[in-house]
């Protein structure tokens, strides 16, 4: 195998600008946010160093903090639940659908739409009956009047409505990733398995699913970390309401930083969010390292 030998100095010329840009855009803001979290600061007047008081307030005295954590983790769990379904659908499409690429492209359409458009679209669908809400209209026409709700203004169900929209929006995204992984499995492997008597679902169970574990891991990490940072869709559809019933950590952080002018406290929430993302990324990598060692 021919290996292209490139001097280290040449590699540095290409890598260094990207590395500096990455550090400047990712690590420096994190360090600044961690420092700001130790301040009592409204972002306008002089800051006062208060140590870990913002974190104590966040953990023990903020009545909206733990509900926002619960909503965010719920968002992440629901987002991950659709990935095994996407893998199952991808395996079926690869085996039985002729023009599967076209179908995957159609599923991908919601991903390329602006979140503002998706939020406004689903707000219209969820509207009450007297405002022409399509969902309530369909339920009423089917004689299911008792099932109609003010979907986004009832605290017990508003968060689930947002979970559903997020699942709908990113189904095509994860389906595309899983379908690409399934397609990359060499056909020779299936042919060899067929000789040994493994076809259909048996071949999927022993070949397809184990061989796409690395792709599955990428989908899980993207879904989980993306959900922890959920802000735009929630903000467009409910603004965190009613009565903080759909607040996530990100919307709570925005409220504290820019509407309540508690920038130091908002930075403490941002630091907590970065810490949670880091912990779960390490945890998911640890779990999948064992799974990959077993199946690959």
């Amino acid at each position: 195998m021919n290996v292209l030998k490139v001097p280290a100095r040449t590699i540095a010329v290409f890598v260094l600008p990207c590395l500096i840009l990455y550090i400047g855009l990712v690590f420096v803001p994190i360090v600044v946010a961690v420092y700001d979290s130790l301040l009592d600061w409204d972002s306008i007047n002089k800051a006062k160093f208060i140590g870990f008081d913002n974190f104590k307030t966040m953990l023990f005295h903020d009545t909206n903090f733990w509900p926002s954590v619960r909503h965010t983790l719920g968002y992440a769990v629901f987002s991950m639940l659709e990935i095994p379904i996407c893998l199952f659908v991808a395996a079926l499409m690869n085996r039985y659908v002729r023009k599967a690429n076209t179908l995957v492209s159609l599923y991908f359409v919601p991903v390329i739409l602006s979140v503002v458009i998706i939020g406004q679209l689903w707000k219209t669908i969820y509207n009450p009956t007297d405002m022409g809400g399509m969902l309530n209209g369909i339920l009423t026409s089917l004689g299911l009047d008792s099932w109609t709700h003010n979907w986004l203004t009832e605290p017990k169900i508003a968060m689930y409505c947002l979970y559903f929209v997020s699942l709908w929006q990113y189904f095509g995204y994860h389906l595309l990733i899983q379908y690409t992984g399934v397609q990359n499995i060499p056909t020779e492997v299936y042919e060899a398995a067929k000789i040994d008597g493994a076809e259909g679902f048996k071949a999927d169970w022993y070949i397809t699913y184990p061989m796409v574990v690395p792709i599955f891991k990428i989908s899980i990490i993207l879904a989980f970390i993306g959900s922890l940072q959920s802000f735009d869709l929630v903000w467009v559809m409910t603004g965190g309401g009613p009565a903080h019933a759909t607040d996530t950590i990100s919307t709570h952080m925005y409220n504290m930083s820019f509407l309540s002018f508690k920038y130091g406290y908002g930075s403490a929430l941002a630091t907590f969010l970065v810490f949670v993302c880091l912990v779960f990324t390490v945890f998911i990598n640890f779990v999948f390292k064992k799974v990959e060692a077993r199946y690959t």
Side-chain angles (χ1 to χ4, degrees):
M1 180 179 176
N2 294 323
V3 178
L4 184 64
K5 292 183 179 177
V6 181
R9 210 175 277 177
T10 307
I11 296 174
V13 168
F14 286 98
V15 172
L16 203 57
C18 296
L19 186 63
I20 292 172
L21 192 65
Y22 185 75
I23 291 172
L25 293 177
V26 177
F27 286 99
V28 171
I30 290 175
V31 173
V32 171
V34 171
Y35 174 73
D36 288 346
S37 69
L38 306 176
L39 305 175
D40 179 12
W41 189 31
D42 60 3
S43 77
I44 299 172
N45 297 305
K46 189 177 180 182
K48 178 184 174 185
F49 186 81
I50 56 172
F52 292 99
D53 284 2
N54 280 328
F55 291 96
K56 291 177 185 173
T57 304
M58 180 181 75
L59 295 173
F60 303 112
H61 302 293
D62 185 348
T63 54
N64 294 323
F65 172 67
W66 288 112
S68 71
V69 172
R70 191 173 66 248
H71 298 152
T72 305
L73 291 178
Y75 221 110
V77 170
F78 270 85
S79 297
M80 288 192 298
L81 287 178
E82 74 175 339
I83 296 174
I85 299 171
C86 289
L87 176 57
F88 180 70
V89 173
L92 288 179
M93 289 172 69
N94 186 55
R95 187 176 300 277
Y96 299 110
V97 180
R98 275 190 177 180
K99 295 184 178 179
N101 289 335
T102 307
L103 199 56
V104 172
S105 301
L106 289 175
Y107 279 124
F108 196 75
V109 169
V111 181
I112 60 177
L113 291 177
S114 161
V115 174
V116 176
I117 293 174
I118 288 176
Q120 293 298 336
L121 170 70
W122 279 93
K123 273 178 76 175
T124 307
I125 292 172
Y126 283 138
N127 268 341
T129 308
D130 56 353
M131 293 176 67
M134 191 176 81
L135 180 57
N136 282 339
I138 292 173
L139 292 173
T140 304
S141 65
L142 294 174
L144 301 171
D145 299 66
S146 59
W147 290 20
T148 58
H149 290 277
N150 293 325
W151 301 98
L152 295 178
T153 56
E154 293 182 20
K156 288 185 179 179
I157 58 174
M159 199 68 223
Y160 293 100
C161 295
L162 296 182
Y163 291 154
F164 179 80
V165 176
S166 182
L167 292 178
W168 172 82
Q169 183 184 6
Y170 288 105
F171 182 84
Y173 178 72
H174 295 293
L175 179 63
L176 176 65
I177 293 175
Q178 300 306 316
Y179 182 68
T180 305
V182 171
Q183 272 199 319
N184 282 333
I185 298 174
T187 53
E188 293 82 4
V189 178
Y190 289 109
E191 289 169 1
K194 191 175 180 180
I195 294 171
D196 292 334
E199 290 185 86
F201 288 109
K202 196 173 182 181
D204 285 336
W205 182 258
Y206 288 105
I207 296 172
T208 307
Y209 300 146
M211 291 190 75
V212 297
V213 166
I215 304 297
F216 192 83
K217 181 184 77 172
I218 291 171
S219 256
I220 290 284
I221 290 177
L222 289 175
F224 195 87
I225 302 303
S227 299
L228 290 181
Q229 301 167 14
S230 55
F231 172 80
D232 40 14
L233 184 67
V234 178
W235 196 254
V236 170
M237 292 188 69
T238 63
H244 299 283
T246 59
D247 247 346
T248 61
I249 298 174
S250 296
T251 57
H252 190 39
M253 177 182 66
Y254 181 84
N255 274 322
M256 289 293 108
S257 299
F258 303 111
L259 300 183
S260 300
F261 296 104
K262 295 179 179 177
Y263 193 80
Y265 187 72
S267 297
L269 288 164
T271 303
F272 174 81
L273 187 57
V274 170
F275 176 75
V276 171
C277 289
L278 189 64
V279 168
F280 276 99
T281 302
V282 172
F283 176 73
I284 291 170
N285 273 307
F286 174 76
V287 171
F288 274 93
K289 191 176 180 181
K290 289 184 174 296
V291 175
E292 285 173 341
R294 181 176 179 183
Y295 290 107
T296 60

